[in-house]
Amino acid sequence: MSVFAIDSSKAIQQTLAIIKPDAVKSNQEDAIMSRCVDEGFTIIAQLRTCLTEEQIETIYERQKFMPHYGELKQFLKRLVIGATSFNLFQ
């Protein structure tokens, strides 16, 4: 089941933006989302949550073998992230 359950059939692009904990903590979330809107995206849903270890492993699968991966997982598990779903329409 998707967190963002909306009809996006007319969208030419769908994007899920995950705003990292340090940006959320330093109140940069609004500026980041404003930039996306300025680039032509429409915000269709927003969520603030903590990622589970399973979600982190799925999202950052490519980094699994990087030396900083364990530190990254610990960093992401302990803080709130912002998740925003965007659509780009013609």
Side-chain angles (χ1 to χ4, degrees):
M1 182 174 117
S2 172
V3 173
F4 304 110
I6 42 109
D7 177 17
S8 301
S9 59
K10 293 183 175 64
I12 59 169
Q13 180 177 331
Q14 290 181 290
T15 302
L16 174 64
I18 297 176
I19 301 172
K20 293 187 177 177
D22 51 342
V24 172
K25 191 175 182 179
S26 63
N27 296 317
Q28 296 176 2
E29 206 170 355
D30 289 339
I32 292 168
M33 289 187 294
S34 291
R35 170 89 189 266
C36 293
V37 170
D38 290 347
E39 294 294 326
F41 288 87
T42 300
I43 297 173
I44 55 173
Q46 289 178 274
L47 172 71
R48 273 189 167 204
T49 188
C50 292
L51 293 175
T52 65
E53 187 158 345
E54 182 179 321
Q55 289 169 323
I56 294 167
E57 289 173 355
T58 300
I59 295 166
Y60 291 93
E61 184 176 359
R62 292 183 187 171
Q63 285 85 10
K64 188 186 298 185
F65 300 104
M66 301 296 284
H68 69 280
Y69 182 68
E71 186 178 318
L72 175 66
K73 277 177 44 175
Q74 292 306 313
F75 173 70
L76 291 171
K77 279 194 325 190
R78 71 178 191 266
L79 298 170
V80 174
I81 58 107
T84 304
S85 182
F86 295 95
N87 277 350
L88 181 60
F89 296 94
Q90 277 188 312

